[in-house]
Amino acid sequence: MATERASPIRRRHTDRIGRLASLRIVTDNELMGLALAEATAAIDHGDVPVGAVILLDGKVIASRHDERERLGDPTACAELLAIRDATAHVGSRRLDGATIAVTIEPSVMCAGAILDAGMARVVFGVPDLSGGAVGSLYQVGADPRLGREFVTTHNVRAPECADLLTTYLAARD
């Protein structure tokens, strides 16, 4: 049986999580500041600058950015990568009571994963009018037919999140 080695990318994220985990985040603005910082890292490898940070029991347990282009994987969204890291950190597929902060409104795929993980809150910066699933087009976190729900807080540091996205998109054209 082959032994698994942590990739340099995974190791880097694990090291960063270790440093971030010691921070006590108390406000949505501070949490979004970490997501914004994470989002800027995506630009270095040609991905859309989207960042996600997961907070559990007052501590950051995961922080990731989009890597869809880098990895050639349509599921390598900031939210899903952060959820994977967070569940590995807690040793369970459940993230009951956790908050995820994302610079742009989560898609249907990401909102479904957030719901399935049992997170309590989603905090996002700017709405995604073309595919947002927690307020703009769909209400995944507030649909009682899905069996569970989460609270959504929107427009947290929205001007900064929007500026990051529009600057990136303008440079790409």
Side-chain angles (χ1 to χ4, degrees):
M1 180 176 200
T3 58
E4 258 187 71
R5 281 187 34 205
S7 73
I9 294 169
R10 174 82 172 161
R11 198 172 316 115
R12 180 175 55 96
H13 288 298
T14 302
D15 293 345
R16 182 172 51 230
I17 292 166
R19 287 192 304 271
L20 289 174
S22 65
L23 297 174
R24 281 272 188 212
I25 307 301
V26 293
T27 69
D28 290 349
N29 282 335
E30 291 170 320
L31 194 58
M32 188 59 70
L34 292 174
L36 279 160
E38 185 68 34
T40 61
I43 297 170
D44 294 340
H45 48 77
D47 273 288
V48 177
V50 177
V53 177
I54 297 178
L55 183 77
L56 181 64
D57 297 329
K59 293 185 178 182
V60 172
I61 60 169
S63 178
R64 293 295 290 266
H65 57 271
D66 266 21
E67 295 189 37
R68 294 171 1 159
E69 298 300 323
R70 177 187 205 161
L71 299 176
D73 179 354
T75 68
C77 301
E79 300 95 321
L80 297 183
L81 295 172
I83 290 169
R84 289 175 191 152
D85 288 354
T87 56
H89 178 81
V90 300
S92 169
R93 72 170 197 84
R94 302 288 300 169
L95 297 170
D96 295 322
T99 295
I100 186 168
V102 189
T103 54
I104 189 168
E105 181 180 3
S107 68
V108 172
M109 175 177 63
C110 295
I114 291 165
L115 190 70
D116 192 49
M119 292 191 196
R121 293 183 66 226
V122 173
V123 175
F124 70 88
V126 293
D128 180 356
L129 301 177
S130 66
V134 296
S136 294
L137 293 179
Y138 305 100
Q139 307 289 332
V140 171
D143 188 335
R145 297 171 298 175
L146 298 175
R148 49 182 95 110
E149 299 179 35
F150 53 74
V151 174
T152 302
T153 303
H154 56 86
N155 294 324
V156 175
R157 296 179 73 164
E160 293 167 80
C161 295
D163 286 348
L164 184 61
L165 286 167
T166 55
T167 301
Y168 169 79
L169 294 172
R172 262 186 29 177
D173 292 339

